[in-house]
Amino acid sequence: MKEDQIVLDVKDTPKPMTWLALSFQHLFAMFGATILVPFLVELDPAVALISSGLGTIAFLLITKGQVPAYLGSSFAFITPIIVAKSTAGVGAAMVGSFLAGLVYGIIALLIKGTGHKWIMKILPPVVVGPVIIVIGLGLAATAVGMATNNPAGDYSLKHFSVALVTLLITILCSIFLKGFFNLIPVLIGIAGGYFYSLAIGIIDFSNVIAANWIQVPNFVIPFVNYTPAITLDIVLLMVPVVVVTISEHIGHQLVLGKVVGRDYIEKPGLHRSILGDGVATMIAALIGGPPNTTYGENIGVLAITRVYSVFVIAGAAVLAILFGFIGKISAFISSIPTPVMGGVSILLFGIIASSGLRMMIDSKLDLGNKRNLIIVSVILVIGIGEATLKIGNFDLHGMALAAIIGIVLNLVLPYDKDESINNETA
């Protein structure tokens, strides 16, 4: 990339008003998806905003201000958090999230000492692609239920119409809008669905009116709201998700490097960016937010605006933290009808599944090869079918079981020389 194409480089500081506008732009790009995750797992969206801001600042510090990446709520942890909360409470989900972040740190240390090639051998597209598909399709029933049911849990054509309108607006924005607005179709779709919901009278503003302007969110603090306890169940439920999120992180770093014109795998190093992701996830777990991950939407903003300044990213993080403490905003987010989120979820979860398929296509994965076909098939059926392995008092099921079996199959099944080369370089 030519130097004259860059509007603001990584270390450039914009003028105050420009800084504020550009930071708001990044905040809007991540807003819709980031609040959807706590909405689905029944955590406080305000805490999710705060944890994303704190996590992003931690990431920027750990990567020495060299990587302009914003971190938001991770979709990969939705199902494990829901399961953990339903079986052992929100505290268990936070413990599991913290442990996942800790595993990031361990992997970062290993990469620093041994290089990064080994992790690509363990997590090739033949494993990660179908696991990502499992994440998206595994949430399909959740999206449809949110879209079609009323608050009592019964089918409602009125509420389904809200989801369809929201979905239609989101799709049209994705296809026809250009520039920055093409990057926030989810936010626009939510806004459109909200106005439609308002028109048909299914929104209650009483909580928004009653909320204070400044308000402390519903933090979930260890030893205050719960007593942390590490169990094998939680470890097996939450930690295997790291298989997917680290692969996603590596992909984001490669794409970001191409956009900005730098090799982030080498400098500041993959170990630093993975550590930053892990620390952000641990911070979120300590205050009751969903795990964090780098956001593709914000990489898209960088690509379009050619504004790479880490100060702009940090500004967006500060704004997210401030928004989290504004009670009116938190109450307004909570007033969004469930079918609105159901409508955007239909598209988002489908896109997650499709991105797994795209990963396999982009890596030129040959499904005519029996080895690849076996690995992909087993992962898909075990993951989507929610297969469970019960041993004593704990069980391993769904995506976690599928990911582990996929890794094992990839390591033990033989392949010919050409296939070995393709897996190592994909």
Side-chain angles (χ1 to χ4, degrees):
M1 179 173 287
K2 296 180 181 179
E3 193 70 25
D4 59 2
Q5 290 181 310
I6 299 175
V7 177
L8 286 172
D9 207 353
V10 175
K11 296 290 185 178
D12 292 345
T13 306
K15 295 180 180 178
M17 293 309 297
T18 302
W19 189 348
L20 182 63
L22 292 174
S23 292
F24 262 115
Q25 186 168 250
H26 268 285
L27 180 65
F28 289 147
M30 52 67 66
F31 197 88
T34 287
I35 66 169
L36 176 58
V37 175
F39 195 97
L40 290 172
V41 300
E42 296 183 350
L43 295 174
D44 190 342
V47 177
L49 287 174
I50 293 169
S51 64
S52 76
L54 293 175
T56 297
I57 292 172
F59 179 90
L60 294 176
L61 292 174
I62 291 170
T63 56
K64 298 182 176 181
Q66 297 179 35
V67 184
Y70 193 97
L71 280 68
S73 305
S74 173
F75 281 78
F77 285 91
I78 291 174
T79 299
I81 290 177
I82 291 173
V83 174
K85 284 186 63 184
S86 64
T87 57
V90 65
M94 294 302 104
V95 169
S97 298
F98 186 89
L99 293 175
L102 196 60
V103 171
Y104 270 88
I106 294 171
I107 292 174
L109 289 175
L110 290 174
I111 292 174
K112 182 179 181 181
T114 62
H116 64 269
K117 290 185 178 179
W118 63 270
I119 196 168
M120 302 308 297
K121 292 181 180 179
I122 295 176
L123 303 175
V126 71
V127 173
V128 178
V131 171
I132 292 175
I133 292 174
V134 167
I135 293 173
L137 296 185
L139 292 166
T142 299
V144 172
M146 292 171 63
T148 58
N149 295 336
N150 60 24
D154 301 319
Y155 177 83
S156 168
L157 182 59
K158 184 177 184 180
H159 286 75
F160 191 26
S161 72
V162 173
L164 292 177
V165 168
T166 304
L167 177 61
L168 179 61
I169 293 172
T170 306
I171 291 172
L172 292 176
C173 291
S174 298
I175 294 175
F176 294 109
L177 294 185
K178 304 298 180 183
F180 169 70
F181 292 103
N182 182 255
L183 296 171
I184 57 170
V186 172
L187 185 61
I188 297 174
I190 291 173
Y194 194 90
F195 282 119
Y196 177 75
S197 300
L198 187 63
I200 64 174
I202 64 169
I203 294 180
D204 181 7
F205 278 115
S206 59
N207 289 334
V208 180
I209 296 171
N212 296 321
W213 279 102
I214 304 300
Q215 184 172 303
V216 177
N218 297 315
F219 292 116
V220 181
I221 311 294
F223 300 107
V224 176
N225 302 104
Y226 66 94
T227 301
I230 299 175
T231 65
L232 191 55
D233 286 7
I234 293 300
V235 171
L236 293 176
L237 180 64
M238 302 288 286
V239 170
V241 183
V242 172
V243 170
V244 180
T245 52
I246 284 187
S247 299
E248 179 184 42
H249 174 84
I250 293 171
H252 282 168
Q253 291 302 99
L254 291 171
V255 173
L256 182 60
K258 290 179 182 178
V259 170
V260 180
R262 290 167 171 81
D263 186 353
Y264 287 128
I265 303 298
E266 295 298 328
K267 183 181 180 181
L270 185 60
H271 63 286
R272 282 190 175 274
S273 61
I274 286 180
L275 178 62
D277 235 347
V279 169
T281 293
M282 287 189 282
I283 290 173
L286 291 174
I287 63 174
N292 285 317
T293 186
T294 47
Y295 254 38
E297 291 91 336
N298 292 83
I299 296 175
V301 175
L302 294 176
I304 284 183
T305 64
R306 300 191 301 277
V307 173
Y308 310 144
S309 172
V310 293
F311 295 100
V312 171
I313 300 292
V318 171
L319 288 173
I321 294 170
L322 292 176
F323 271 33
F325 284 99
I326 299 177
K328 293 287 187 184
I329 290 179
S330 179
F332 179 76
I333 293 171
S334 298
S335 73
I336 299 173
T338 299
V340 171
M341 291 307 201
V344 296
S345 295
I346 290 173
L347 181 61
L348 282 177
F349 296 159
I351 288 174
I352 291 171
S354 299
S355 67
L357 181 61
R358 179 178 176 179
M359 173 181 285
M360 293 191 289
I361 293 172
D362 289 346
S363 64
K364 298 180 180 178
L365 187 67
D366 181 13
L367 290 181
N369 179 285
K370 289 183 179 180
R371 178 183 184 276
N372 292 339
L373 184 62
I374 288 170
I375 295 172
V376 171
S377 301
V378 170
I379 291 174
L380 289 176
V381 173
I382 288 178
I384 296 174
E386 285 288 320
T388 302
L389 176 65
K390 293 186 178 182
I391 304 175
N393 294 324
F394 70 90
D395 59 2
L396 183 65
H397 63 93
M399 180 181 61
L401 179 60
I404 291 173
I405 290 179
I407 290 173
V408 172
L409 288 176
N410 178 64
L411 293 175
V412 301
L413 290 182
Y415 44 74
D416 59 37
K417 184 178 179 181
D418 291 339
E419 188 65 21
S420 175
I421 292 172
N422 289 337
N423 273 279
E424 291 179 9
T425 58

